[in-house]
Amino acid sequence: MKTSVLLQVSNISKCYSCGEGYTTALESVSIAVHSGDFLMVTGPSGSGKSTFLNILSGLDSSSEGDVVFMGESLGAMGVGKIARLRNDAFGFIFQTPHLLPDRTVLENVALPFQYGARVSQEKITLRCQQLLEYVGLNEMGTRFPNTLSGGEMQRVVVARALARKPKLIFADEPTGSLDSENSQKIVKLLQEQAEAGCAIVMATHDTSLLDAGSRRLKLQKNRAAA
Ligand SMILES: Nc1ncnc2c1ncn2[C@@H]1O[C@H](COP(=O)(O)OP(=O)(O)OP(=O)(O)O)[C@@H](O)[C@H]1O
Ligand SMILES: [Mg+2]
């Protein structure tokens, strides 16, 4: 498979002011993320994994350095453009599955279609049903999130993350609240997406999952300064 650079990350640093001093959450990290990469981001608690994912996905900005997505600097994009990019080209999975409790499973998967380019309701329903089948929840489209197990909820989140066929998926401890069987299911789905050409950037503490990735980035715990 021919790969291309999706994200070029150059010397990004992040400092937070903390009382009278500051915390360096991330110091001078550079990496290129290609289509088909499954990048595992590791490091101890507080080493900047979430900060790194948030900056790469345009949720937060770096204090220094630049993130370029397919030739365009995130730093130079306005908030509207970043919001569109996040909806159209990126998928997100977090540790706790955030689903809207008053929407059915299928409606939750369809949420990314509420924004961006219009797609007919018929196509949306078909796509979401196919995704539910893909994640093994074929029969659950009409149920409500509070009737699902944690592992099932997280698979709904994976289906939602895939709804608009993202180029990149950001997963921050996606298995952090799951047992090992459900963790393996989620990681396998992500692996399949990487094999199909999507790039995955996943932060994890779980060393048993690291081999599922194709690359690793180990962050060091930093240096609080006065
Ligand atoms: N909004 C903030 N203000 C000040 N400091 C922050 C803020 N967000 C994060 N930090 C600090 O930045 C550092 C990195 O935090 P981050 O959440 O990225 O770590 P992490 O590797 O994801 O940790 P964990 O494994 O516990 O999720 C920590 O020292 C944290 O206290
Ligand atoms: Mg974190």
Side-chain angles (χ1 to χ4, degrees):
M1 183 172 50
K2 193 170 176 295
T3 63
S4 55
V5 177
L6 291 178
L7 276 180
Q8 184 70 54
V9 179
S10 307
N11 289 311
I12 56 165
S13 299
K14 180 74 179 179
C15 292
Y16 291 106
S17 56
C18 265
E20 303 208 333
Y22 64 89
T23 303
T24 303
L26 213 55
E27 192 169 282
S28 207
V29 180
S30 299
I31 193 164
V33 181
H34 300 77
S35 53
D37 277 350
F38 191 161
L39 177 66
M40 291 289 192
V41 182
T42 70
S45 180
S47 61
K49 300 182 294 298
S50 296
T51 304
F52 179 73
L53 264 63
N54 290 345
I55 292 172
L56 263 59
S57 62
L59 194 63
D60 199 355
S61 55
S62 58
S63 309
E64 281 174 48
D66 200 14
V67 177
V68 173
F69 174 71
M70 296 181 80
E72 230 184 318
S73 164
L74 296 192
M77 288 182 196
V79 283
K81 189 157 189 187
I82 289 195
R84 276 196 299 283
L85 180 70
R86 287 168 51 79
N87 190 60
D88 296 348
F90 298 167
F92 294 90
I93 307 167
F94 297 99
Q95 177 170 352
T96 320
H98 294 289
L99 297 169
L100 296 183
D102 58 343
R103 308 281 181 95
T104 64
V105 162
L106 191 106
E107 286 166 348
N108 268 282
V109 176
L111 284 175
F113 291 108
Q114 284 192 347
Y115 310 95
R118 233 191 92 65
V119 179
S120 74
Q121 189 56 50
E122 200 181 334
K123 282 193 179 154
I124 293 173
T125 305
L126 183 65
R127 169 96 184 126
C128 296
Q129 270 165 352
Q130 285 169 343
L131 284 168
L132 284 175
E133 193 170 337
Y134 170 62
V135 300
L137 300 175
N138 197 19
E139 307 294 319
M140 298 200 180
T142 56
R143 287 184 33 185
F144 284 88
N146 66 356
T147 69
L148 305 184
S149 72
E152 288 164 349
M153 282 193 224
Q154 198 63 313
R155 279 187 277 151
V156 176
V157 172
V158 172
R160 184 180 62 194
L162 297 176
R164 277 192 175 269
K165 303 189 177 164
K167 294 192 181 329
L168 251 153
I169 294 175
F170 295 96
D172 192 352
E173 308 274 1
T175 63
S177 55
L178 302 178
D179 63 19
S180 75
E181 188 188 334
N182 279 294
S183 299
Q184 294 295 342
K185 279 186 191 169
I186 297 292
V187 166
K188 185 160 181 299
L189 291 169
L190 294 177
Q191 255 179 333
E192 285 171 7
Q193 292 307 310
E195 278 158 20
C198 185
I200 315 289
V201 181
M202 170 170 153
T204 188
H205 276 121
D206 187 342
T207 50
S208 74
L209 299 178
L210 292 180
D211 284 345
S214 59
R215 301 172 63 194
R216 281 181 210 180
L217 172 68
K218 188 157 196 287
L219 298 176
Q220 308 292 335
K221 188 161 164 77
N222 235 324
R223 33 203 187 224

Coordinates of all heavy atoms in Angstrom, one line a residue, residues 128-182:
C128 N -24.6 3.7 9.0 CA -24.5 3.5 10.4 C -24.9 2.0 10.7 O -24.3 1.4 11.6 CB -25.4 4.5 11.2 SG -24.9 6.2 11.0
Q129 N -25.8 1.5 10.0 CA -26.2 0.1 10.2 C -25.0 -0.8 9.8 O -24.7 -1.8 10.5 CB -27.4 -0.3 9.4 CG -28.7 -0.1 10.2 CD -29.9 -0.1 9.3 OE1 -29.8 -0.1 8.1 NE2 -31.1 0.0 9.9
Q130 N -24.3 -0.5 8.7 CA -23.1 -1.3 8.3 C -22.1 -1.2 9.4 O -21.4 -2.2 9.7 CB -22.6 -0.7 7.0 CG -23.4 -1.1 5.8 CD -23.0 -0.4 4.5 OE1 -22.3 0.6 4.6 NE2 -23.4 -0.9 3.4
L131 N -21.9 0.0 10.0 CA -20.8 0.2 11.0 C -21.2 -0.6 12.3 O -20.3 -1.2 12.9 CB -20.6 1.7 11.3 CG -19.9 2.4 10.3 CD1 -20.0 3.9 10.5 CD2 -18.4 2.0 10.2
L132 N -22.5 -0.6 12.6 CA -22.9 -1.4 13.8 C -22.6 -2.9 13.6 O -22.2 -3.6 14.5 CB -24.3 -1.1 14.2 CG -24.6 0.3 14.8 CD1 -26.0 0.5 15.1 CD2 -23.8 0.3 16.2
E133 N -22.9 -3.3 12.4 CA -22.6 -4.7 12.0 C -21.1 -5.0 12.2 O -20.7 -5.9 12.7 CB -23.1 -5.0 10.6 CG -23.2 -6.4 10.3 CD -23.9 -6.6 9.0 OE1 -24.7 -5.8 8.6 OE2 -23.7 -7.7 8.4
Y134 N -20.3 -4.0 11.6 CA -18.9 -4.2 11.6 C -18.3 -4.3 13.0 O -17.4 -5.1 13.3 CB -18.2 -3.0 10.9 CG -16.8 -2.9 11.0 CD1 -15.9 -3.9 10.6 CD2 -16.2 -1.8 11.7 CE1 -14.6 -3.8 10.7 CE2 -14.8 -1.7 11.8 CZ -14.0 -2.7 11.3 OH -12.6 -2.7 11.5
V135 N -18.9 -3.5 14.0 CA -18.4 -3.6 15.3 C -19.1 -4.7 16.2 O -18.9 -4.8 17.4 CB -18.4 -2.2 16.1 CG1 -17.6 -1.2 15.4 CG2 -19.8 -1.7 16.3
G136 N -19.9 -5.4 15.5 CA -20.6 -6.6 16.2 C -21.8 -6.2 17.0 O -22.2 -6.9 18.0
L137 N -22.5 -5.1 16.7 CA -23.6 -4.7 17.4 C -24.9 -4.5 16.5 O -25.7 -3.6 16.6 CB -23.4 -3.3 18.1 CG -22.2 -3.3 19.1 CD1 -22.0 -1.9 19.6 CD2 -22.5 -4.2 20.3
N138 N -24.9 -5.4 15.6 CA -26.0 -5.4 14.6 C -27.4 -5.2 15.1 O -28.2 -4.4 14.5 CB -25.9 -6.7 13.8 CG -26.6 -6.7 12.5 OD1 -26.8 -5.5 12.0 ND2 -26.9 -7.8 11.9
E139 N -27.7 -5.9 16.2 CA -29.1 -5.9 16.7 C -29.4 -4.7 17.6 O -30.4 -4.6 18.2 CB -29.3 -7.2 17.5 CG -29.0 -8.5 16.7 CD -29.9 -8.7 15.5 OE1 -31.1 -8.4 15.7 OE2 -29.4 -9.0 14.4
M140 N -28.4 -3.9 17.9 CA -28.5 -2.9 19.0 C -28.8 -1.5 18.6 O -28.9 -0.6 19.4 CB -27.3 -2.9 19.8 CG -27.0 -4.3 20.4 SD -26.0 -4.2 21.8 CE -25.9 -6.0 22.3
G141 N -29.1 -1.2 17.3 CA -29.3 0.1 16.8 C -30.4 0.9 17.5 O -30.3 2.1 17.6
T142 N -31.5 0.2 17.9 CA -32.6 0.9 18.5 C -32.6 1.0 20.0 O -33.4 1.6 20.6 CB -34.0 0.2 18.1 OG1 -33.9 -1.2 18.5 CG2 -34.2 0.2 16.6
R143 N -31.5 0.4 20.6 CA -31.4 0.5 22.0 C -30.8 1.8 22.5 O -30.3 2.6 21.7 CB -30.5 -0.7 22.5 CG -31.4 -1.9 22.4 CD -30.8 -3.2 22.9 NE -29.9 -3.2 24.1 CZ -29.3 -4.3 24.5 NH1 -29.5 -5.4 23.8 NH2 -28.5 -4.3 25.5
F144 N -30.9 2.1 23.8 CA -30.4 3.3 24.3 C -29.1 3.0 25.1 O -28.9 1.9 25.6 CB -31.4 4.0 25.2 CG -32.5 4.7 24.4 CD1 -33.6 4.0 24.1 CD2 -32.3 6.0 24.0 CE1 -34.6 4.6 23.3 CE2 -33.3 6.7 23.2 CZ -34.4 6.0 22.9
P145 N -28.1 4.0 25.1 CA -26.8 3.7 25.6 C -26.8 3.1 27.0 O -26.0 2.2 27.3 CB -26.1 5.1 25.7 CG -26.7 5.8 24.5 CD -28.2 5.3 24.5
N146 N -27.8 3.5 27.9 CA -27.7 3.0 29.3 C -28.1 1.5 29.4 O -28.1 0.9 30.5 CB -28.6 3.8 30.2 CG -30.1 3.8 29.9 OD1 -30.5 3.1 28.9 ND2 -30.9 4.4 30.7
T147 N -28.5 0.9 28.2 CA -28.8 -0.6 28.3 C -27.6 -1.4 27.8 O -27.7 -2.6 27.6 CB -30.0 -0.9 27.4 OG1 -29.7 -0.7 26.0 CG2 -31.2 0.0 27.8
L148 N -26.4 -0.7 27.5 CA -25.3 -1.4 27.0 C -24.2 -1.6 28.0 O -24.1 -0.9 29.0 CB -24.6 -0.6 25.8 CG -25.5 -0.2 24.6 CD1 -24.7 0.4 23.6 CD2 -26.3 -1.4 24.0
S149 N -23.4 -2.6 27.8 CA -22.2 -2.8 28.7 C -21.1 -1.8 28.3 O -21.2 -1.2 27.2 CB -21.6 -4.2 28.5 OG -21.0 -4.3 27.2
G150 N -20.1 -1.6 29.1 CA -19.1 -0.7 28.8 C -18.3 -1.0 27.5 O -18.1 -0.1 26.7
G151 N -18.1 -2.3 27.3 CA -17.4 -2.7 26.1 C -18.3 -2.4 24.8 O -17.8 -2.0 23.8
E152 N -19.6 -2.6 25.0 CA -20.5 -2.4 23.8 C -20.5 -0.9 23.6 O -20.5 -0.4 22.4 CB -21.9 -2.9 24.2 CG -22.0 -4.4 24.1 CD -23.2 -5.0 24.8 OE1 -23.9 -4.3 25.5 OE2 -23.4 -6.2 24.6
M153 N -20.6 -0.1 24.6 CA -20.6 1.4 24.5 C -19.4 1.9 23.7 O -19.5 2.7 22.8 CB -20.7 2.1 25.8 CG -22.0 2.1 26.5 SD -21.9 3.3 27.8 CE -22.8 2.3 29.1
Q154 N -18.2 1.3 24.1 CA -17.0 1.7 23.4 C -17.0 1.3 22.0 O -16.4 2.0 21.1 CB -15.8 1.2 24.2 CG -14.5 1.9 23.9 CD -14.4 3.4 24.3 OE1 -15.3 4.1 24.0 NE2 -13.4 3.8 24.9
R155 N -17.6 0.2 21.6 CA -17.7 -0.2 20.2 C -18.7 0.8 19.4 O -18.4 1.0 18.3 CB -18.1 -1.7 20.1 CG -16.9 -2.5 20.3 CD -17.2 -4.0 20.0 NE -17.8 -4.6 21.2 CZ -18.7 -5.6 21.1 NH1 -19.1 -6.1 20.0 NH2 -19.2 -6.1 22.2
V156 N -19.7 1.3 20.1 CA -20.5 2.3 19.5 C -19.7 3.5 19.2 O -19.8 4.1 18.1 CB -21.7 2.7 20.4 CG1 -22.5 3.8 19.8 CG2 -22.6 1.5 20.7
V157 N -18.8 3.9 20.1 CA -17.9 5.0 19.9 C -17.0 4.8 18.7 O -16.8 5.7 17.9 CB -17.1 5.4 21.2 CG1 -16.1 6.4 20.9 CG2 -18.1 5.8 22.3
V158 N -16.5 3.6 18.6 CA -15.6 3.3 17.4 C -16.4 3.4 16.2 O -16.0 4.1 15.2 CB -15.1 1.8 17.6 CG1 -14.3 1.5 16.3 CG2 -14.1 1.7 18.7
A159 N -17.7 2.9 16.1 CA -18.5 3.0 15.0 C -18.7 4.5 14.6 O -18.6 4.9 13.5 CB -19.9 2.3 15.2
R160 N -19.0 5.3 15.7 CA -19.2 6.8 15.4 C -18.0 7.4 14.9 O -18.0 8.3 14.0 CB -19.7 7.4 16.7 CG -20.0 8.9 16.6 CD -20.4 9.5 17.9 NE -19.4 9.5 18.9 CZ -19.6 9.7 20.2 NH1 -20.8 10.0 20.6 NH2 -18.5 9.6 21.0
A161 N -16.8 7.0 15.4 CA -15.5 7.6 15.0 C -15.3 7.3 13.5 O -14.6 8.0 12.8 CB -14.4 7.1 15.8
L162 N -15.8 6.2 13.0 CA -15.6 5.8 11.6 C -16.7 6.3 10.7 O -16.5 6.2 9.4 CB -15.6 4.2 11.5 CG -14.5 3.5 12.3 CD1 -14.7 2.0 12.2 CD2 -13.2 3.9 11.8
A163 N -17.7 7.0 11.2 CA -18.9 7.3 10.4 C -18.5 8.1 9.1 O -19.0 7.7 8.1 CB -19.9 8.2 11.2
R164 N -17.6 9.0 9.2 CA -17.3 9.8 8.0 C -16.0 9.4 7.3 O -15.4 10.2 6.7 CB -17.2 11.3 8.4 CG -18.6 12.0 8.5 CD -18.5 13.5 8.5 NE -19.7 14.2 8.5 CZ -20.3 14.6 7.3 NH1 -19.7 14.4 6.2 NH2 -21.4 15.3 7.4
K165 N -15.7 8.1 7.5 CA -14.5 7.6 6.9 C -13.2 8.5 7.2 O -12.7 9.1 6.2 CB -14.7 7.4 5.4 CG -15.9 6.5 5.1 CD -16.0 6.1 3.7 CE -17.1 5.2 3.5 NZ -17.6 5.0 2.1
P166 N -12.8 8.6 8.4 CA -11.8 9.5 8.8 C -10.4 9.1 8.2 O -10.2 7.9 8.0 CB -11.7 9.5 10.3 CG -12.2 8.1 10.6 CD -13.3 7.8 9.6
K167 N -9.5 10.1 8.0 CA -8.2 9.7 7.6 C -7.3 9.4 8.8 O -6.3 8.7 8.7 CB -7.6 10.9 6.9 CG -8.2 11.3 5.6 CD -7.4 12.3 4.8 CE -8.0 12.7 3.5 NZ -8.8 11.7 2.8
L168 N -7.7 9.9 10.0 CA -7.0 9.7 11.2 C -7.9 9.5 12.4 O -8.9 10.2 12.5 CB -6.3 11.1 11.5 CG -4.8 11.2 11.3 CD1 -4.4 12.6 11.0 CD2 -4.1 10.7 12.5
I169 N -7.5 8.6 13.2 CA -8.3 8.4 14.5 C -7.4 8.6 15.7 O -6.3 8.1 15.7 CB -8.9 6.9 14.5 CG1 -9.9 6.7 13.4 CG2 -9.5 6.6 15.9 CD1 -10.4 5.3 13.3
F170 N -7.9 9.5 16.6 CA -7.2 9.7 17.8 C -7.9 9.0 18.9 O -9.1 9.1 19.1 CB -7.2 11.2 18.1 CG -6.4 12.0 17.1 CD1 -7.1 12.6 16.1 CD2 -5.0 12.1 17.2 CE1 -6.4 13.4 15.1 CE2 -4.3 12.8 16.3 CZ -5.0 13.5 15.2
A171 N -7.1 8.1 19.6 CA -7.7 7.3 20.7 C -6.9 7.5 21.9 O -5.7 7.1 22.0 CB -7.7 5.8 20.2
D172 N -7.5 8.1 22.9 CA -6.8 8.4 24.2 C -7.2 7.4 25.3 O -8.3 7.5 25.8 CB -7.1 9.9 24.6 CG -6.2 10.3 25.7 OD1 -5.4 9.5 26.3 OD2 -6.2 11.5 26.1
E173 N -6.4 6.5 25.5 CA -6.7 5.4 26.5 C -8.1 4.8 26.2 O -8.9 4.6 27.1 CB -6.7 5.9 27.9 CG -5.5 6.7 28.4 CD -4.4 5.9 28.9 OE1 -4.6 4.6 28.9 OE2 -3.4 6.4 29.3
P174 N -8.3 4.3 24.9 CA -9.6 3.8 24.6 C -10.0 2.6 25.3 O -11.2 2.2 25.3 CB -9.5 3.6 23.0 CG -8.0 3.3 22.8 CD -7.3 4.2 23.8
T175 N -9.0 1.9 25.9 CA -9.3 0.6 26.5 C -9.2 0.8 28.0 O -9.3 -0.2 28.8 CB -8.4 -0.5 26.1 OG1 -7.1 -0.1 26.4 CG2 -8.4 -0.7 24.6
G176 N -9.0 2.0 28.5 CA -8.7 2.3 29.9 C -9.8 1.8 30.9 O -9.5 1.5 32.0
S177 N -11.1 1.7 30.4 CA -12.1 1.2 31.3 C -12.7 -0.1 30.9 O -13.8 -0.5 31.3 CB -13.3 2.3 31.3 OG -13.7 2.5 30.0
L178 N -11.9 -0.9 30.1 CA -12.4 -2.2 29.6 C -11.6 -3.3 30.1 O -10.4 -3.2 30.5 CB -12.3 -2.2 28.1 CG -13.1 -1.1 27.4 CD1 -12.9 -1.2 25.9 CD2 -14.6 -1.2 27.7
D179 N -12.2 -4.5 30.2 CA -11.4 -5.7 30.5 C -10.6 -6.2 29.3 O -10.7 -5.6 28.2 CB -12.3 -6.9 31.0 CG -13.3 -7.3 29.9 OD1 -13.1 -7.0 28.7 OD2 -14.3 -7.9 30.3
S180 N -9.7 -7.2 29.5 CA -8.8 -7.5 28.4 C -9.5 -8.0 27.2 O -9.1 -7.7 26.0 CB -7.7 -8.4 28.9 OG -8.2 -9.7 29.0
E181 N -10.6 -8.7 27.3 CA -11.3 -9.2 26.1 C -11.8 -8.1 25.3 O -11.6 -8.0 24.1 CB -12.4 -10.2 26.6 CG -13.0 -10.9 25.4 CD -14.3 -11.7 25.8 OE1 -14.4 -12.1 27.0 OE2 -15.1 -11.9 25.0
N182 N -12.5 -7.1 26.0 CA -13.0 -6.0 25.2 C -11.9 -5.1 24.7 O -12.1 -4.5 23.6 CB -14.0 -5.2 26.1 CG -15.4 -5.9 26.2 OD1 -16.1 -6.0 25.2 ND2 -15.7 -6.5 27.3

